[in-house]
Amino acid sequence: MALTYSAGSLVTARGREWVVLPESAPDLLVLRPLGGSDDDIAAVFPAFEDVRGAEFAAPEPSDLGDQSAAGLLRTALRIGFRSGAGPFRSLAGIAVEPRAYQLVPLLMALRQPTVRMLISDDVGIGKTVEAGLIASELLAQGEATGLAVLCSPALAEQWQEELRTKFGIDAEPVLASTVSRLERGLDLGQSLFDKYPHVIVSTDFIKSTRHRDDFVRHCPDLVVVDEAHTCVTADDTSAATQNQLRHELLRRISADPARHLLLVTATPHSGKESAFRNLLGLVRPELATVDLESETGRKLLARHFVARKRADVRQYLTTDDGLADDTLAERTAFPSDRYFKDETYKLSPAYRALLDDAIAYAGERVEEAGGRGRREARIAWWSAIALLRSLVSSPRAAAQTLTTRSAAAIAASAEEADTLGAPLTSDAADSDALEGRDVAPGAATGDHAGARLRELAARAARLEGTESDRKLAALAGHLKALLADGYHPIVFCRYIPTAEYVAEHLDGALGRRTVVRAVTGTLSPQQRLQRIEELAAEAGDDPAARRVLVATDCLSEGVNLQHHFDAVVHYDLAWNPTRHDQREGRVDRYGQRRDQVRVITLYGEDNGIDGKVLDVLIKKHRQIKKDLGISVSVPDATSAGVTDAVVEWLLMRGHRGEQDGLFAAEEVLDTRAARLEQEWNSAADREKASRSRFAQRSIHPEEVAREVAALRESLGGTGEIRTFVRESLNALGGVLRPLPGPDGDFTAQIGGAPAGLRDALAPVVGAEAVEHDRPIPFRTDPAVARGEAALVRTDPVVGALAAHVLDAALDPAAAGRRPARRCGVVTTDAVPTRTTLLLVRYRFHLTLPSRGGEKQLVAEDARLLAFRGSPRNARWLSPEEATALLDATATGNTDPHFGERTMTRILGQLPETTARLEAYGDELAAELDASHRRVRGAAGDIVRGLTVTAQRPADILGVYVYLPDATATAASAPAAGGTA
């Protein structure tokens, strides 16, 4: 049975008009309300409900608007499009406005029959958005039917939120904490990966044999791997590691040549070339062995690899990129720099005495254990490191470590002791996950030293507070200075007891308007984000209020904190400088309002550890990043060799009088530091060369500029949205006030706006903000904080405003102010003769070939067409001339009765324009077809079978007549005239 209504046609049902969507069947119509969003889609059974074909009604000639009516209606219509007529099928329907540079990975992906990409842009550039753009486009085209995101369990909630709110993809988290609930709802023999097409999977959970095999068998055809560098190993890795388990999982997933695979990481090169090659081998097997120095190798890699620094995209689509002008130039507001300040403190006499006694004890234990066997030596070694790190962290962490059994104490061998002891005491850059790594390690080994450890623990507990703990006192002073300068800092600590101790002592000590909260691994990922939002809400909008977050490294990866915080304090030094970079990257990223992020590093001048770690590791890392503009990792083994030498030197120093041993230890430390610097410099040189050699060159900026221009033509640009928001809010009774700064930002109070608009905005900006008529900030920068609105079409506040304006314009009987109208008559000096402007909505029927068969889609476009004279003898203007009419201002009064008669006459003659409107629709369909072929041009199979046809008739939404101002015309050119 054939469909009564084709996709894209207009029907009337339930008292309103709808657009038929391609998902419809003969007995079930899937409909979207005219001017509505995807949230309003409904299913209608024609057998049980009255469904009739509809034609778009002509405007009411008596419902005349002013000079701004046409522009407002056009923009409101385009904002509401969910399937725009540009070359991308998903961009009109997502709730994020991508930066121009973020389209580059998407364009690269669309040129591959099976998408295989390694996205390695710098921290804070927006790799999640880039991966989401590719995923949403592949799903919209039918090239993919399901999505799996592999990430750490701590980031699963954030991925779920990003996909749902920005891309409209509802994904189910598959975690150790959710799998039992999910499996209870399965049918017999059903896999949860079959039941849920879109999933977010914990890499720690899925690596187990049982779940891994089920996942591989039922894996979706599109997989995104976050922090992909943790899922590969170097060839020289001997012992089994969690990374090897993940690597084996990804090898099996990537073995299917038809599966799309996106690998996402800011650090693809961990300092080991073989690990980088193994990562590339997942993308394409040849990349694991091809000579990347050759032209062939570089071209092959360029099709699959994108890695850009902030400097590459801070200014984009400018003449520096080879473009003719800066018309499409885009500036992305990254912080320009990080201001580093290293602040020292000295131990109090009591703390100095405790540390000396602890070092002496640890040295004795290591020396004694060395004579009892290798297993005992390694257990003692990890216990010593745990003791020393907790002591320089805080008295509370030290007390807990001294009374807790060492994790390595149960080891049956030296190798097992290393496996158990290293994760809790080291800061390896490629560790499995940060979950559980912030607990205070144990130092007790189960021998007869319990009484001595308890005595040390009691002494540590008595040192709490600023009087004996000068590190805490120094922190309070530095925080007060930051707060006085208007900053909102995050204080990063190594251990949970330290974070809780610091937050406890800071609360109430930094001023009554400063809110202090702690977030540690004791909270679930969802609870962590909730506590951060509670902290922000408690501080409120008072400019004098300040926020201080004390956190462990459970927040140092993946979590975006730039909207609430703008400074970082390293209370505890990490023994791997990459961890510092990750911490700072939580606030130093796109969306940070501060041009300069402050970073304070606290270190002990006389504790024997911090100074050497700072000099050898942290400062060297900073210098390389300053020189290259990116972080360069050094192999963990080399870094650990230096910190081990520091500990050996410190323990040897504790044996007073053994100068020969001390000198030997210092010599070992110097040798290892020199080796580290040599390897680091070599890694930096390789990274610099590879960044230059493998820079993204497969997509030229001109190609990006062409698609950006097409998008703005179809969906509107920033200037158009700004004008729409300002004029609409002013017309609806809003009170607008400028905000400081050069960007033209402003606030709006909507207390005087119609109730319908206030109700629509309440869920978006908060019911309390609407009820109390608080100013809503509107900002040019799309990266806005909660409660603010971005001047982009995808912002929910802008969308709600556009829906209200459009609904009011389409309903002449609507009560209240109506900024946009479907017709108008304007007397102006901008035209020499009577000129008519038509706002026409076109719908296009697309057939997209995909691996799953043909995909039927509907695209929408709104265009302005203008003619001079009568419709029968129309002289059609160019698109640029038609658009320019939106800027025409009234220079004379128009009699309402005359205007109505004029409009009635024009509307009656509009059928004469049908042939021109249909011909223009065919031209637009050809352009849409060409744009799809253009962005997919490198793969002929992708576009074979593509068809685009214009739906007829086109809808004339608006008719606006511009009459020449006789007074102005006579004054400027007496001989000028026009046809009536």
Side-chain angles (χ1 to χ4, degrees):
M1 176 180 172
L3 274 175
T4 305
Y5 304 104
S6 62
S9 58
L10 221 57
V11 298
T12 298
R14 301 180 183 177
R16 66 188 305 184
E17 293 177 324
W18 309 74
V19 177
V20 178
L21 299 182
E23 293 82 1
S24 299
D27 57 347
L28 176 67
L29 294 179
V30 181
L31 309 174
R32 184 177 65 229
L34 198 61
S37 68
D38 286 347
D39 293 334
D40 304 317
I41 288 176
V44 173
F45 291 94
F48 301 105
E49 298 190 54
D50 182 23
V51 180
R52 290 171 293 152
E55 289 189 4
F56 201 72
E60 178 61 46
S62 61
D63 188 31
L64 299 176
D66 61 16
Q67 60 194 15
S68 64
L72 294 179
L73 181 58
R74 175 203 187 208
T75 305
L77 181 65
R78 301 204 307 180
I79 290 173
F81 285 161
R82 289 299 171 263
S83 182
F88 308 107
R89 298 283 28 94
S90 63
L91 259 58
I94 62 177
V96 61
E97 186 92 353
R99 312 298 290 170
Y101 68 80
Q102 291 175 328
L103 296 178
V104 170
L106 175 58
L107 289 169
M108 293 172 65
L110 292 179
R111 297 185 176 188
Q112 302 176 27
T114 299
V115 179
R116 294 293 178 98
M117 294 281 296
L118 175 56
I119 302 175
S120 299
D121 285 338
D122 199 5
V123 173
I125 281 181
K127 294 181 295 298
T128 301
V129 170
E130 292 171 345
L133 288 173
I134 297 173
S136 62
E137 187 67 18
L138 293 177
L139 292 169
Q141 292 184 18
E143 287 295 328
T145 58
L147 167 67
V149 176
L150 302 183
C151 65
S152 78
L155 301 181
E157 301 268 0
Q158 181 166 313
W159 266 101
Q160 182 186 34
E161 180 75 4
E162 291 276 305
L163 290 175
R164 182 181 62 82
T165 59
K166 293 183 177 178
F167 301 100
I169 300 173
D170 288 319
E172 191 69 38
V174 181
L175 315 171
S177 58
T178 66
V179 68
S180 297
R181 171 180 58 81
L182 296 176
E183 289 180 336
R184 283 195 295 269
L186 299 178
D187 296 332
L188 184 64
Q190 185 182 28
S191 167
L192 63 85
F193 301 110
D194 286 334
K195 180 170 183 177
Y196 301 102
H198 308 317
V199 291
I200 300 167
V201 185
S202 161
T203 47
D204 286 335
F205 163 76
I206 206 66
K207 67 184 180 235
S208 67
T209 304
R210 174 197 163 202
H211 296 294
R212 181 184 64 197
D213 293 343
D214 182 46
F215 179 65
V216 171
R217 282 194 301 270
H218 303 277
C219 183
D221 50 7
L222 170 58
V223 176
V224 177
V225 183
D226 193 19
E227 302 296 340
H229 63 280
T230 66
C231 299
V232 293
T233 54
D235 293 339
D236 58 358
T237 302
S238 54
T241 66
Q242 302 301 327
N243 288 26
Q244 284 180 319
L245 295 176
R246 293 202 191 101
H247 193 189
E248 175 60 25
L249 170 64
L250 290 191
R251 268 202 297 257
R252 295 177 63 181
I253 290 173
S254 63
D256 183 351
R259 177 167 290 119
H260 304 295
L261 182 63
L262 304 178
L263 304 180
V264 180
T265 173
T267 53
H269 218 300
S270 63
K272 293 186 177 181
E273 181 68 19
S274 60
F276 177 58
R277 286 300 193 127
N278 288 337
L279 192 63
L280 292 178
L282 296 173
V283 175
R284 188 162 175 169
E286 306 96 289
L287 288 172
T289 56
V290 71
D291 180 9
L292 295 179
E293 300 293 332
S294 68
E295 186 67 19
T296 301
R298 288 198 293 270
K299 285 184 176 180
L300 179 63
L301 180 61
R303 293 202 293 267
H304 302 275
F305 182 45
V306 57
R308 297 167 295 182
K309 300 181 292 186
R310 293 185 186 184
D312 298 328
V313 298
R314 192 185 301 275
Q315 300 277 358
Y316 192 53
L317 299 185
T318 67
T319 53
D320 292 338
D321 296 310
L323 272 65
D325 54 48
D326 290 337
T327 305
L328 297 174
E330 185 176 78
R331 182 185 184 277
T332 302
F334 298 113
S336 63
D337 197 9
R338 298 179 193 176
Y339 174 76
F340 292 101
K341 193 173 184 182
D342 301 327
E343 298 286 3
T344 187
Y345 65 90
K346 283 190 175 182
L347 298 172
S348 65
Y351 215 129
R352 172 79 264 171
L354 173 65
L355 181 61
D356 287 342
D357 290 346
I359 290 172
Y361 163 77
E364 293 168 9
R365 299 295 301 128
V366 168
E367 184 177 13
E368 177 189 347
R372 300 201 332 250
R374 190 161 174 268
R375 167 188 172 274
E376 288 75 12
R378 298 309 294 167
I379 293 174
W381 173 255
W382 292 118
S383 299
I385 292 180
L387 177 57
L388 296 176
R389 293 207 68 179
S390 62
L391 269 166
V392 299
S393 178
S394 72
R396 189 170 297 181
Q400 184 165 326
T401 293
L402 288 161
T403 55
T404 302
R405 183 176 175 81
S406 169
I410 62 172
S413 65
E415 291 74 20
E416 186 178 1
D418 290 342
T419 301
L420 295 173
L424 291 179
T425 53
S426 66
D427 298 315
D430 60 352
S431 59
D432 304 355
L434 295 175
E435 291 302 297
R437 300 296 188 237
D438 54 358
V439 298
T445 56
D447 51 24
H448 302 294
R452 189 171 177 185
L453 291 178
R454 286 193 295 273
E455 184 266 334
L456 291 173
R459 289 170 60 187
R462 291 194 294 270
L463 296 176
E464 289 196 6
T466 54
E467 183 175 345
S468 297
D469 185 2
R470 293 180 179 172
K471 180 182 180 182
L472 178 64
L475 171 67
H478 297 310
L479 288 179
K480 288 178 180 178
L482 283 173
L483 297 173
D485 288 342
Y487 281 83
H488 304 274
I490 304 177
V491 180
F492 276 105
C493 306
R494 179 62 176 83
Y495 300 118
I496 293 173
T498 299
E500 293 174 342
Y501 160 74
V502 168
E504 177 185 314
H505 283 270
L506 291 179
D507 194 17
L510 300 176
R512 62 184 183 85
R513 293 188 176 180
T514 299
V515 183
V516 181
R517 292 291 181 271
V519 171
T520 69
T522 59
L523 302 175
S524 70
Q526 185 176 14
Q527 290 172 325
R528 296 167 198 169
L529 298 178
Q530 183 178 345
R531 180 164 293 184
I532 293 168
E533 293 298 331
E534 290 172 352
L535 165 59
E538 189 172 348
D541 299 326
D542 183 354
R546 295 290 181 269
R547 299 178 291 272
V548 176
L549 176 65
V550 184
T552 62
D553 284 317
C554 70
L555 288 184
S556 69
E557 279 188 359
V559 183
N560 300 330
L561 302 173
Q562 69 272 29
H563 294 308
H564 299 315
F565 305 96
D566 46 24
V568 169
V569 178
H570 299 292
Y571 190 70
D572 291 330
L573 287 184
W575 282 12
N576 189 309
T578 302
R579 183 74 69 230
H580 279 223
D581 200 47
Q582 290 168 335
R583 292 172 176 177
E584 294 155 14
R586 297 312 95 216
V587 299
D588 184 6
R589 59 195 305 111
Y590 173 55
Q592 174 58 255
R593 293 278 165 72
R594 291 273 186 184
D595 186 57
Q596 186 181 75
V597 170
R598 288 194 185 179
V599 178
I600 293 179
T601 304
L602 275 180
Y603 72 99
E605 183 180 324
D606 57 349
N607 63 28
I609 298 177
D610 284 355
K612 293 188 179 297
V613 170
L614 183 70
D615 288 339
V616 177
L617 293 175
I618 308 299
K619 289 184 177 179
K620 177 65 177 177
H621 179 264
R622 285 183 200 158
Q623 186 60 47
I624 290 177
K625 179 163 186 177
K626 182 178 180 181
D627 293 342
L628 289 185
I630 55 170
S631 295
V632 176
S633 300
V634 70
D636 286 327
T638 309
S639 177
V642 172
T643 52
D644 285 354
V646 172
V647 174
E648 291 171 8
W649 172 81
L650 188 64
L651 296 179
M652 184 61 66
R653 196 181 68 170
H655 288 271
R656 294 172 176 81
E658 298 185 17
Q659 292 299 319
D660 291 341
L662 181 59
F663 290 145
E666 288 179 341
E667 186 176 341
V668 169
L669 174 58
D670 292 341
T671 300
R672 292 184 182 178
R675 185 188 309 154
L676 171 70
E677 182 166 7
Q678 182 180 2
E679 289 196 23
W680 220 338
N681 287 334
S682 297
D685 290 340
R686 288 196 304 271
E687 186 67 25
K688 184 177 181 180
S690 69
R691 288 274 168 170
S692 174
R693 191 179 305 118
F694 308 137
Q696 193 294 118
R697 294 192 180 96
S698 63
I699 303 293
H700 193 276
E702 286 184 356
E703 300 176 66
V704 181
R706 185 166 53 222
E707 306 314 330
V708 169
L711 282 172
R712 293 181 183 177
E713 176 68 24
S714 174
L715 302 176
T718 302
E720 179 184 336
I721 302 300
R722 177 193 301 278
T723 300
F724 169 79
V725 172
R726 294 189 68 98
E727 292 187 357
S728 296
L729 288 176
N730 273 321
L732 290 168
V735 179
L736 277 61
R737 294 185 177 88
L739 282 169
D743 295 330
D745 297 347
F746 57 91
T747 64
Q749 292 175 265
I750 58 170
L757 178 61
R758 298 200 307 273
D759 292 342
L761 292 181
V764 181
V765 300
E768 189 177 354
V770 173
E771 182 180 347
H772 295 285
D773 197 18
R774 292 178 181 165
I776 303 170
F778 285 83
R779 300 192 182 277
T780 304
D781 192 334
V784 294
R786 188 182 298 272
E788 298 181 338
L791 291 168
V792 295
R793 63 176 300 276
T794 56
D795 187 271
V797 176
V798 175
L801 176 62
H804 178 85
V805 170
L806 180 59
D807 288 343
L810 296 178
D811 183 7
R817 301 182 181 94
R818 299 169 57 228
R821 305 292 177 92
R822 294 188 59 197
C823 54
V825 179
V826 179
T827 301
T828 176
D829 61 4
V831 296
T833 185
R834 189 182 70 192
T835 305
T836 303
L837 178 69
L838 304 180
L839 174 59
V840 184
R841 173 172 49 198
Y842 288 97
R843 289 190 294 275
F844 304 96
H845 187 80
L846 284 79
T847 301
L848 290 181
S850 69
R851 63 180 64 192
E854 292 184 344
K855 180 87 168 179
Q856 306 296 324
L857 297 171
V858 172
E860 298 173 290
D861 200 357
R863 292 298 177 120
L864 295 170
L865 291 89
F867 60 88
R868 287 178 181 158
S870 66
R872 178 172 300 174
N873 301 307
R875 296 194 300 276
W876 292 93
L877 305 184
S878 69
E880 294 76 18
E881 290 174 311
T883 303
L885 290 173
L886 296 178
D887 298 324
T889 57
T891 57
N893 295 324
T894 305
D895 178 74
H897 298 292
F898 175 73
E900 185 175 341
R901 291 195 303 271
T902 300
M903 182 57 62
T904 301
R905 186 165 59 251
I906 291 293
L907 291 175
Q909 298 173 5
L910 278 184
E912 302 286 349
T913 66
T914 300
R916 169 58 181 162
L917 299 187
E918 290 182 351
Y920 191 56
D922 292 339
E923 292 175 18
L924 295 177
E927 290 178 9
L928 182 56
D929 182 285
S931 71
H932 277 75
R933 295 177 186 276
R934 183 175 66 242
V935 299
R936 297 157 180 83
D941 291 341
I942 297 180
V943 295
R944 189 170 295 127
L946 169 68
T947 62
V948 182
T949 56
Q951 181 82 27
R952 294 180 179 177
D955 301 325
I956 299 178
L957 265 73
V959 181
Y960 308 91
V961 178
Y962 296 85
L963 301 174
D965 187 339
T967 304
T969 302
S972 60
T979 59

